[in-house]
Structures are given as C-alpha cells and as structure tokens.
Amino acid sequence: MKGTRDVALAQSVRERAPRRGRLDHVQREMRRARAPLFFILPAIIFAAIFLYYPALSGLYHAFFDWDGVSQADFIGLNNFQEMMSDPSVRTAFTNVGKLTGVGVVIVLTVPLMAARLINGIPNLRVQYIFRVGFVIPLVVPNVVLLLVWGFFYDPTDGMLNRLLTDMHQSGLTQAWLGDPAIALYGVMVSSSPSPLPGFSVGFPWVDAFALLIYTAGLQSIPGEILEAAAMDGAGARQRFLRIELPLILGQVRLLVVLVIINGLQNFTQILILTQGGPGEATTVPGLYLYQQAFISQRMGYASSIALVLFAIIVVLTAINVKFIRPATEFEGAAA
Amino acid sequence: MATRPLTRRDFLSNGSRAAGAAVLVAWLGPDAAMAAQEHASTRALSGTLSVFDFGGFTGVPAVMKDIVKAYETLHPNVKIQIVSSPSGMDNTTYTITQFTAGTAPDIVSPAVAQQPWADLTHDWWYELTDWVHAPNPYDAQHRSYSALLQPQYLEQLQLDKRFWSIAVTGQDAMFFYNKDLFAKAGVSALPRTWADFIAAQQKLQKAGIIPIAMDAGDITFGNPYPSIPAIFESMTMSKTLAKMHPGPGLVTLDELVSGIDGGTFSANSPEYQESWRLIKSWSSYFQRGFGAGLGAAFPTPAGHLFLEGKAAMYWAGSYWVPIMESSVPAAHGFAWDVFPFPQITPSSSSFATPGHKGVGVWGAWGAVPWGVSKAAEQRGHLDLVQDFLFFLTSPNKMAAFARDSVYIPLGKGIPIKGNDAVQTTKLGQFSKVMSQPCSLSTAETALGAAFQVQRSKLMTQYLTNQTSLSSATDQVQRALTMAAKQARRWLAVAQKR
C-alpha cells in the first residue's frame, strides 16, 4: 500500500515539477522585470487615461445623444441611422475613399521608384546626397507647405494660373480649390496622405518617410541574390519585379497600412487648405466629425462617425495584413 | 476675501444704499458726490479676481490692462488676474473645459462662437439681470448699465428680458470699396438700392474689374459671409417677420423659434428661397473660385484681392479699417471708403416691401462681451465681480474701451474715437449701420453656431451649383428645426427662472 502511495506521490511530483519550474520561472521573470515595469508604468497610466479611456468613451457614447457635457441619453442605433441618411457623411466618406485610394497608389509607386533609383546609384556618397535631399523637406512644417500650395493655387494671383497664362494657355486656368468639380483633385495633388501620421505629401509625391522605409528594405536584400539573378540573365526590370518587390512586401504592407490609417483619420490638411469646401466638396469624415463634436456640440453623433471610421480602418488593415505577405524577410528588414 | 457669497439681495441693497447716499451728496455738491462715489466703490473689497479675456483678435487690449491697474489702485486689497487660454488651445474648448470642471475664471469673455444662453442648461453662467438694472456706483449719476446702454444694443444682449452677458463695444459689417476702380468703371454714385448695386457691378465687370471679392467659402460662425443671409432674409421676408414680431424692434429668439415650429418661418417658403436666388444671381459678380474654403491664411484670398486693388468691393467688418489703413497706402495706394448694404426694393424683388430696413448684422454681440461664471458665486467672489463690472461699464471706461480697441461704443453719448481721424470717421459710418440691425440678425445668430455653419455650407453648395435650391433649402429647414429644438430648451430654462 505504502509502495503504491510512494509511486503515486513520485508520479505527482514528476508531473508537478515542470509546472512548478514554469511558475518559478515566471516569478523570476516578474521579479527581474519589476524595475522595467515600474518605469513603464507612468506611460501605461497616461496611455490608459489619454488614449484608451477616450477611445472607449467614444465607443460607448456612439450610442448616446450627448453634447459632451450634459447627461448622455441612450438612443440605441439612432446615430447610425442618422448617418445613413446624412448626405454630408456620404460625401465625406466618398471623398476620403478617393483621397486614401490615391494615397495608396502614390505610396506604392512614386517613393518606391525613387528608392529603387537611388539604391541603384553605384556611388554610396551620391546615394546619401539624394536621400538627404528628399528627407530635408520633412523639417518644413506641413502647415507652411500647405499655405504655399494655397498661394500656388490662387485663381487670380497663383503661380499655376500665371504659368498657364504665360504659356498662352489661359483657357486651362482654373479656380483650383474653388471649383467643386476639381477641388478634390487639387487636394490630391497638394496633400495626398503620407504614411507619417499628421503629414501629407504634395506633388511630386516622393514621401521621405516611405522613401526611407523602402530604401531600408531594398538595402536589406542580400547582394548575392541579386548578383545570382543577374548572372542568370535577369534584367533590371525582372530583378525588380521578381526579386526585389516580393522581398520588400513587408515594407509595402507597413506603408499601405499607415497610409490607410492616416488617410482615413487625418483632416488637418483639409482644414488648413479648404475647410472642406467649396460647400462640402473636399469634406472628409475626420473634419465632419470634428465639426459635429466641437461646433455642433454633438459628441454622440461624432462618436458614431468615429466608430464607423475605426471599423473601416480595422477591416482594411486586416485585409492588408492577411493578403500582403513578404516572400521572405531578411534580418534587418522592417515589418 | 468675503467670508460668504454675497447674494443678489445683498448686492442690490448695497447698490441702493450707495445710490441713496449719492443723491444726498450730489445735492450737497460735486466734491461730496465724488467722495461718495469713492466711498461707495471702496467698501471692504479684497481678494483675487480672475478674468478670462479671449482678447478678440489682438490679445488683451491695453485699455483692459490700464483699467485693471486703476481698479487695483482704487482697491489696494484686490488683485485682478487676467487669464488667457493656453497657447494653441481654442478659446471655446478652454472655457468649456473650465466650466465643466467648475474652475472657470470669475469673469469670462465668451469666445466669438459662444452664446452664454446656449449654456443655460448647464447652469454655468451667473444671471446678470439684476446687476444690469442696478445703480452703478462708479457713475456720477448712478445710472444702471441698462440706462447707460443704447436700447437697441440692450435688446441684442437679452434673452427673454434676462441677461447672462454684457458688452460695452460692438462692431458691424459694410462694403469696403475702391474709389479709383469705381471711377474707372464710371460708377459715380454709391449704390443705395439693390438695382443700383447690380448696375454698378455690371459696369465694373464690363471694365474688366472684379466687382466684388467675397469670402464665400467661409463657414466660420459670426464671420461676414455667414452673417449675410440674415440681411437678405430680413428684406425678402419682411411681411412674415412683421407677423412674427409686430411693432418696432428685432425678432426675438423666442419669436423665431415659434415661427419655425409653427411653420410661419420656413426655408422652403418662396420668400426665403427668393433671398437665396438673389444671392445666387449676385454671386456672378464674385471673384473666380469664390467658393473655395477659407484656409488658415489671413487676410483671406478675397481680402488680398481687395487690398491689392484688384477687386472693387469687399464685404468685411469694422476690424478691417485698421488693416486697410496699414496695408493700402504702403502697397497699392488707392482711395477707399465704405458703404452700407443696399436696400432691396420692390423693383428688384416682388417680396420686398417699401421703406428703409436695418442692415446691421452684428452689433452688441459682435465685440467682446463679458459674463460671470457660477464658479465666481461658489468662490464668494460675487461682490467683487459685480463691483469690477460696474467699474468696467462706467461711462469713462466705456469711452476708454472704444478709444483703444477700434470697436464701436454701445453706451449712450460715448463718442466714437478711433486711433486717428480716418478710423473715427469710418467707425462713425459703421456705427450708423450698427445702430439699425436687420430684423433677423440677433435671433438667427442666437440659433447657434451649428445652424449657421450648416447654412453657410449649403449656401456655398447652391452658389457653386453643387445642389439645387429646393434641396439646399430643404436641408436648411432641417437645420432650422434642429436649432429651434435646441433653442427651445434654452428658452425653457430662461423662462423657468
């Protein structure tokens, strides 16, 4: 009997030992991480107060009639029903769809081409000069660039119309931001969404942030692969399309996600450039929800727009993450 | 500092005692009157008073600093602290945050987009109705604020005969015009009627001149362009407005809300639509791309066109006078002046009625008003606050404000005095316009920022052919209904008190 018990006990100890060991390990890790946890705690607290709480509050208040101050009244899905029949919301989402779509196309092409061209320069010093040349404009505040674009577009005195007039093309002059038929295109040219939060990029759309990310990706591809491909007779175009591009899809995915998020959320560029006008020709959801929240004091309705925007961003990001996968990721490659 | 909050009754009884004493000493002689005035105003006041001053467009005016200094000299135990919103923070957001937290400064100058009565449901502002009618110890004749103010401005500041804010200066909008371009186009007389006005613009256009620069993409509450429909509506809807408000004076918010609720005042009515039609036909004389939304640049592109002598007219507020003075002579040097919005007569619209109509759009609410926060009452600062407001609104201080801030005085007999002779003359012209507000200006403004912003957007959409008239006015009607519902809540609070 005793022997049986001993065997059972020994078995139990054997079973518990690894569990106990794991527990000890976790405790040891926790003890070791106490100091870092302590130091990171303020950041967690502030993030909870200033990021997570407002986000959750927005989610909650999307179902309320609330002015931001008074008692909130639960109204179920009324805000969402109102959104469905609100022509301004429809216009705003259509506009942002166009702007973000163009932003994605731009980030997938122009900075990538620029990065590829720079990467192809044999002289590293010249490569560096080009990179710096494209990055320097980042130090100019975005507001300044937008104001310059505003002057550039001025229908009477703007450089663009003057240039056209000087070229004897007066018939082509336009009220670039004043004509509702073309104002959104004017915005696309001057302030397409950048992957860098809060920034936009104007013509020629070589976004410095995207350029750096692409450059990092291209430089992380081992030279032997490209050399082997060249020896196998692959031309520059083939090398780019069949080797380089598949290998930097991680960077592509990151930039597309960032452009989608920034494009859908951001509105400051529109506010500075056109205030959403003429009428609502360049209005975007971010601007509309800002006006609803802070001018009309309709925080509940604004929250419901934000919730829909959030859902769209999540879905698009998930699709992007699921379907855009790099062929291989090399050490040092981002994302 | 006072140990308990001074009630309205305490305050009025103090004021009455002061007034009684003043009458007695006035009978004894001027020196005694002055002494009594000092006595009345130097009763045991002490403590720190906080004053939020949004500063209009130019920061805290120098006159405010001087007045604070004078008050502190008179009351050595009182310290006045002028508070401004933190750098980069919008004034409205700042004050709303402070009110919500119960930490608002004692005296608050509401930002342009704020109407204290829109906050009545929140109970943030101390009601000043009793103060408005109480004798002012700093006035030699102890007249109340209501007695010192010109009656039309008092009307603009009230809600159902109650007051939550006061002001001593105002401003209004007019057409600035380039005399040289008018002469070049052969426009010799200033247009007084709508027909003259359109004829003048036709001449200007024929001469290759941009007739008018208009910020028609501006949706900012209270700005010149968003305020303009009130003038048109007041002229084309005069018959309806007379039904809503029989007799002289302005349509009140209560009357407008009743009109909207009862269907008397409708954006879908032919007379309302007529006002929009007139604006649309007028817009053919605006600069190219007039509907562009206003960016962050100031002066606006339309303002620049006028300043550079490329457009013959510009619709702007009296604040534009010093800008003209400083910009035009240096750069472009043309002769300029101002003229009021022309009268729409039956010859231009079958909905117009004969007789002169007011064309003022801003008036008393257009400058820097002050209100008292409920937090002041909770802090026991009410006596100090009200005494300081008496000081601020005494006739000599009203005159000082008018002199310093290029605003127009609201007080009776306060002379208009700009920083130079040109400003004084021009402000005099604005003052005439301001003294005759259009019937709907105050009530429509009182409907709030959300309505005006929405109307401006729809107006621009209509003017730039993005929407039809019926669709635009249909949406305006929805915005009106929503605004009326909200205003009804404020009125209910005001009427319950």
Side-chain angles (χ1 to χ4, degrees), chain B residues 145-431:
Chain B
Y145 173 79
S146 57
L148 286 166
L149 220 67
Q150 296 182 54
Q152 68 272 27
Y153 302 134
L154 204 61
E155 197 181 339
Q156 288 184 311
L157 291 166
Q158 57 85 36
L159 178 71
D160 206 41
K161 297 193 170 41
R162 290 171 185 270
F163 296 83
W164 281 269
S165 66
I166 55 154
V168 297
T169 51
Q171 56 180 341
D172 225 301
M174 290 177 89
F175 283 109
F176 286 76
Y177 74 102
N178 182 322
K179 284 181 167 181
D180 298 349
L181 292 182
F182 266 46
K184 189 178 162 193
V187 182
S188 48
L190 279 182
R192 297 194 186 283
T193 66
W194 190 251
D196 296 343
F197 186 52
I198 295 295
Q201 288 173 94
Q202 281 168 348
K203 280 186 183 173
L204 287 159
Q205 208 167 46
K206 265 188 195 160
I209 297 162
I210 299 167
I212 184 157
M214 179 66 80
D215 294 312
D218 189 6
I219 56 167
T220 314
F221 176 62
N223 270 9
Y225 171 74
S227 306
I228 220 169
I231 304 179
F232 281 89
E233 292 163 21
S234 297
M235 296 220 198
T236 62
M237 301 182 81
S238 50
K239 286 178 195 159
T240 301
L241 300 184
K243 278 184 224 157
M244 287 162 59
H245 179 91
L250 308 175
V251 172
T252 65
L253 179 63
D254 198 2
E255 289 162 347
L256 180 60
V257 168
S258 300
I260 295 165
D261 289 347
T264 319
F265 188 94
S266 166
N268 289 321
S269 68
E271 48 187 353
Y272 190 97
Q273 292 188 335
E274 170 76 352
S275 66
W276 280 47
R277 260 191 223 103
L278 286 171
I279 299 175
K280 175 129 184 178
S281 63
W282 178 35
S283 69
S284 62
Y285 302 104
F286 294 179
Q287 80 279 16
R288 190 178 192 193
F290 62 82
L294 244 56
F298 185 84
T300 61
H304 265 295
L305 271 186
F306 183 69
L307 285 177
E308 288 165 10
K310 290 176 182 159
M313 288 179 274
Y314 182 52
W315 172 250
S318 34
Y319 58 82
W320 192 254
V321 171
I323 295 171
M324 287 298 294
E325 269 192 300
S326 59
S327 307
V328 171
H332 307 284
F334 57 83
W336 62 276
D337 206 342
V338 291
F339 70 90
F341 197 92
Q343 296 286 310
I344 298 172
T345 60
S347 70
S348 300
S349 168
S350 56
F351 292 96
T353 53
H356 182 84
K357 314 278 190 312
V359 290
V361 282
W362 296 333
W365 70 265
V368 186
W370 295 294
V372 176
S373 72
K374 274 289 178 80
E377 190 179 20
Q378 283 150 17
R379 289 183 200 121
H381 287 187
L382 216 47
D383 52 344
L384 193 51
V385 163
Q386 300 195 79
D387 191 75
F388 184 63
L389 285 184
F390 277 134
F391 192 73
L392 274 179
T393 56
S394 60
N396 58 345
K397 300 297 176 292
M398 281 202 208
F401 262 105
R403 270 200 302 278
D404 186 77
S405 51
V406 202
Y407 289 131
I408 299 159
L410 305 178
K412 287 175 189 165
I414 307 286
I416 294 162
K417 195 159 176 18
N419 289 325
D420 55 44
V422 175
Q423 282 183 13
T424 306
T425 312
K426 306 294 185 218
L427 292 178
Q429 291 167 276
F430 275 97
S431 171

